Amino acid sequence: MTHLINRNILLGVSGGIAAYKSAELVRKLQLLGAEVRVIMTQGAQQFITPLTLQALSGNPVHTTLLDTEAEQGMGHIELARWADLLLIAPATADLIARLATGRADDLLSTTSLATAAPLLLAPAMNQQMWQDQATAQNIDTLTSRGVRLIGPATGEQACGDIGPGRMEQPEAIVQAACALFDSGLLQGKRVVITAGPTREALDPVRYISNNSSGKMGFALAQASVDAGAITTVVSGPVNLPTPRHVERRNIQSATQMLDQCLELVPNCDIFISCAAVADYRPASIEPHKIKKGGEQITLQLVRNPDIVATIAATRPRPFTVGFAAETNDILTYAKGKMASKNLDMIIANDVSNQEIGFNSDDNEVTALWSGGEQTLPRAGKRVIANTLIAIIASKLG
Ligand code: PMT
């Protein structure tokens, strides 16, 4: 991937001489389309001012953990959830040691603990400090937890020493960030994803619908294309931009969604049904606006086709994934839907909590398949989508 469009990158800057390069880093990340927010440690502010990074990023720079204003706006939990990637550049020896021991005594270390987003470190320190056993052990600890590194580079250092420890060039750091989003897990696969609500017309101006925003389905489309898949999203009416390189087919009703899916499915390896499809539609659509009459009105509704079950019944069929939006007995109902619709996997989504599920930025789900399950704790929908795509890729035959 050579772009970071639609990516939220949280840049952590700690206190080393290489902090001055973070200004260039912000610009390069933005040029590739990323939205950038910055956290600076106290030490970093000795090398470069928050004002510089604020002017460049176009966003306030975050510096303190216990800041009442920040807590109302972008506090550490909100920053942690907002990020698709936490990039720390430069990462000093002290910061690396604090991350390795799980300290949470300033905004950057606390946010690092609180985020589910991947963590990419660009170490920068004196060559002797880098080669010290303590630093080596801290790096081992972090990498064993899945933290990624870019650099350090080898060469002449600000202190006059020569050796490994120089922060990598901003260009290389940006490329490493791009590569993190480009898993290649679904290289060459064709993926169809349904997203958003359907609208079932009553008359020319009224319809039955629901609160789906399309955010979860579009996040899956972004994750799918990032994983190398040729991706189509069949979307109900939503107010979202189409992720780059994703084909989008707009529909209104469930029957239109089914028609599009049936057209796409013969060439599809994976079908993900994230849309909130109306189970029923009006038996007939009035040609003219329905007039106000008596105190009551009776609508006659008929069953809509079940799109995901129809796709699961096609032969040959794609790997078919459904969602189950439930408010109670979530796993039990989700397992029932997986069986009755004959799905390969179902994503159980608690929609009783307004902070997750319909129309929220976050989600919290459990993926279920024959013989296994994995719960994904609360995180931004883009983080959840990346993990779901990785799980789906691992279950393909
Ligand atoms: O769009 P967002 O605001 O981001 O919200 C995301 C979401 C909450 C809508 C999403 O995460 C979710 O849970 N989607 C499934 C919504 C739903 O309709 O669930 P269900 O339990 O009623 O349906 C079960 C499965 O059958 C779903 O995969 C659904 O797409 C599918 N279905 C349902 C009815 C129908 N006629 N055809 C279908 O294909």
Side-chain angles (χ1 to χ4, degrees):
M1 194 212 281
T2 51
H3 69 85
L4 291 166
I5 290 166
N6 297 330
R7 295 298 183 190
N8 292 342
I9 301 202
L10 187 55
L11 174 64
V13 185
S14 62
I17 181 66
Y20 78 92
K21 290 187 184 169
S22 53
E24 193 186 344
L25 202 47
V26 169
R27 295 295 301 138
K28 285 194 181 314
L29 292 167
Q30 285 178 324
L31 278 174
L32 289 182
E35 172 79 7
V36 182
R37 293 180 188 272
V38 181
I39 294 178
M40 296 179 79
T41 64
Q42 294 298 318
Q45 293 168 62
Q46 307 296 316
F47 292 94
I48 182 169
T49 68
L51 198 57
T52 305
L53 297 184
Q54 179 168 318
L56 287 171
S57 68
N59 288 310
V61 168
H62 305 269
T63 53
T64 45
L65 180 58
L66 301 172
D67 173 344
T68 38
E69 264 180 40
E71 288 304 312
Q72 281 159 9
M74 271 267 168
H76 64 280
I77 298 295
E78 282 158 84
L79 283 167
R81 287 188 187 137
W82 174 85
D84 294 319
L85 169 67
L86 174 53
L87 163 63
I88 304 185
T92 60
D94 175 63
L95 184 84
I96 286 168
R98 290 193 294 120
L99 294 181
T101 51
R103 295 289 291 268
D105 50 7
D106 68 0
L107 181 59
L108 184 52
S109 54
T110 307
T111 309
S112 304
L113 271 188
T115 191
L119 186 51
L120 175 62
L121 303 181
M125 64 198 75
N126 165 269
Q127 54 85 23
Q128 191 56 51
M129 292 166 75
W130 173 252
Q131 291 177 92
D132 190 275
Q133 222 183 331
T135 304
Q137 275 173 8
N138 290 332
I139 289 288
D140 282 351
T141 303
L142 290 171
T143 52
S144 71
R145 287 185 206 143
V147 173
R148 327 288 172 88
L149 295 183
I150 169 70
T154 298
E156 194 172 339
Q157 302 200 285
C159 57
D161 280 7
I162 295 177
R166 252 177 32 180
M167 189 170 92
E168 261 298 0
Q169 291 304 321
E171 186 64 44
I173 296 173
V174 169
Q175 282 312 313
C178 288
L180 274 184
F181 292 112
D182 189 2
S183 65
L185 284 172
L186 295 180
Q187 200 62 48
K189 301 283 184 206
R190 287 179 183 268
V191 177
V192 175
I193 299 166
T194 67
T198 61
R199 280 184 186 173
E200 310 299 333
L202 284 159
D203 68 17
V205 293
R206 302 188 181 95
Y207 52 80
I208 297 172
S209 191
N210 59 66
N211 285 334
S212 171
S213 63
K215 287 178 192 169
M216 191 67 239
F218 277 56
L220 283 163
Q222 173 81 62
S224 165
V225 89
D226 290 348
I230 300 159
T231 306
T232 305
V233 66
V234 182
S235 178
V238 298
N239 192 17
L240 293 174
T242 313
R244 252 171 63 123
H245 308 302
V246 171
E247 183 200 359
R248 174 172 180 168
R249 298 196 179 188
N250 290 323
I251 55 83
Q252 296 279 325
S253 66
T255 47
Q256 289 170 354
M257 183 174 267
L258 177 63
D259 288 346
Q260 291 296 323
C261 292
L262 284 173
E263 191 182 307
L264 289 161
V265 91
N267 286 318
C268 151
D269 301 294
I270 301 167
F271 180 79
I272 307 176
S273 185
C274 186
V277 184
D279 288 322
Y280 292 89
R281 67 178 185 280
S284 61
I285 304 173
E286 294 302 321
H288 301 291
K289 186 179 169 207
I290 299 168
K291 292 285 172 221
K292 197 173 357 177
E295 287 305 309
Q296 290 187 359
I297 185 169
T298 304
L299 294 176
Q300 198 180 7
L301 303 178
V302 293
R303 276 285 284 269
N304 263 332
D306 192 307
I307 298 170
V308 73
T310 308
I311 300 302
T314 58
R315 293 291 178 272
R317 65 178 238 165
F319 187 88
T320 308
V321 181
F323 271 70
E326 306 293 346
T327 52
N328 59 302
D329 297 323
I330 293 150
L331 295 188
T332 309
Y333 283 125
K335 282 177 189 162
K337 282 181 183 171
M338 180 162 70
S340 66
K341 295 178 191 238
N342 194 20
L343 307 178
D344 296 299
M345 186 181 289
I346 197 151
I347 315 303
N349 203 160
D350 179 354
V351 291
S352 65
N353 178 351
Q354 290 193 347
E355 293 184 352
I356 56 173
F358 280 96
N359 203 14
S360 56
D361 289 333
D362 290 351
N363 212 348
E364 181 182 325
V365 298
T366 300
L368 301 153
W369 59 90
S370 169
E373 65 181 67
Q374 185 175 333
T375 296
L376 282 53
R378 181 169 166 180
K381 281 183 175 165
R382 289 193 281 195
V383 173
I384 297 276
N386 282 330
T387 313
L388 287 178
I389 288 293
I391 295 172
I392 291 168
S394 74
K395 301 294 167 212
L396 287 181

